[in-house]
Amino acid sequence: MTPAGHTLSPAVLAALTDWPRTAEAAPADPTVLPQFLNDLLWELPWWNRDWRVTHVGHAHPCETPSNESPAGTKPIEVFVAGMAGDGDGKAVPFSARVRFAGDRLIRLQAKIGDTVIGPGITAPGRLEPHPFGPVFSRLMELRGISVGEMARQCGRAESTIMKLRHGRLTPHRALVAEVAEALKMSEADVAAIAGLEQDVPATR
């Protein structure tokens, strides 16, 4: 799935930006959104096409551009919720976060029942990078910590830090504790970013 390659139609864009709604303004038609979402999900090579988004409600903004930003230049993220069903009549809650700038789609993340579905970054059949990497990289940059300094503070090789930054290494509890100390963050916060459960014991 390549979200950046999609252009939002005027009807979809209107439905995604129909907020705040006022009595004077004619509401946009959210019924265009299920087909839009289905088209994106069906591009996933492993997606079961028996499942379809059947309906969603109006979009709600998660992020909006500031008044100082030129129109269409800052990304907007919205949340939509509804239902999805399969060919046997089973129905489960559906929700999605859609991020876009102007009429260009940037990212889609959907949740069907308890399953989170995100866009793939690598080609089918190749390992997806761990999502901790970009956040870890940004935290290092904000604190002015180089790869070498992070490696020294963690007692790890620079290659380990580089793998962590690029998502090629899944962060484990001991590494999370070392990173948290170097970043001067709580271990619980870093563990949450890394997707680790709180009750996992520390092991090396």
Side-chain angles (χ1 to χ4, degrees):
M1 184 179 188
T2 55
H6 288 273
T7 300
L8 305 179
S9 71
V12 167
L13 188 59
L16 292 175
T17 56
D18 183 29
W19 39 263
R21 287 175 287 281
T22 64
E24 294 79 19
D29 181 11
T31 61
V32 301
L33 295 178
Q35 189 59 53
F36 162 71
L37 294 165
N38 283 322
D39 288 345
L40 294 176
L41 291 169
W42 285 357
E43 290 187 17
L44 297 172
W46 42 264
W47 179 251
N48 184 344
R49 293 196 177 191
D50 288 339
W51 280 92
R52 293 179 58 89
V53 179
T54 55
H55 72 273
V56 296
H58 288 282
H60 300 277
C62 302
E63 298 178 17
T64 59
S66 65
N67 293 332
E68 293 79 19
S69 302
T73 62
K74 185 175 177 62
I76 301 171
E77 187 160 300
V78 300
F79 173 85
V80 294
M83 297 294 292
D86 64 7
D88 296 327
K90 181 180 179 181
V92 294
F94 170 86
S95 62
R97 293 172 73 97
V98 185
R99 189 172 181 83
F100 55 97
D103 65 352
R104 304 296 291 178
L105 180 66
I106 297 173
R107 181 175 71 92
L108 168 72
Q109 185 179 67
K111 185 174 183 180
I112 295 182
D114 293 326
T115 304
V116 176
I117 301 165
I121 297 174
T122 61
R126 298 189 61 187
L127 184 66
E128 289 288 330
H130 195 282
F132 180 73
V135 180
F136 175 55
S137 295
R138 184 59 178 151
L139 289 170
M140 285 179 58
E141 291 168 3
L142 289 172
R143 287 159 174 77
I145 302 175
S146 67
V147 171
E149 179 60 25
M150 178 61 69
R152 284 189 292 276
Q153 291 195 44
C154 293
R156 304 277 176 173
E158 290 189 16
S159 60
T160 298
I161 302 304
M162 290 300 295
K163 287 178 182 177
L164 197 61
R165 283 171 61 94
H166 293 128
R168 297 197 300 270
L169 176 64
T170 300
H172 51 79
R173 178 63 63 173
L175 188 51
V176 162
E178 294 159 3
V179 165
E181 184 175 354
L183 293 174
K184 294 181 171 50
M185 294 175 62
S186 75
E187 185 177 342
D189 285 346
V190 178
I193 296 169
L196 293 178
E197 297 294 337
Q198 289 292 328
D199 56 354
V200 175
T203 58
R204 227 184 227 285

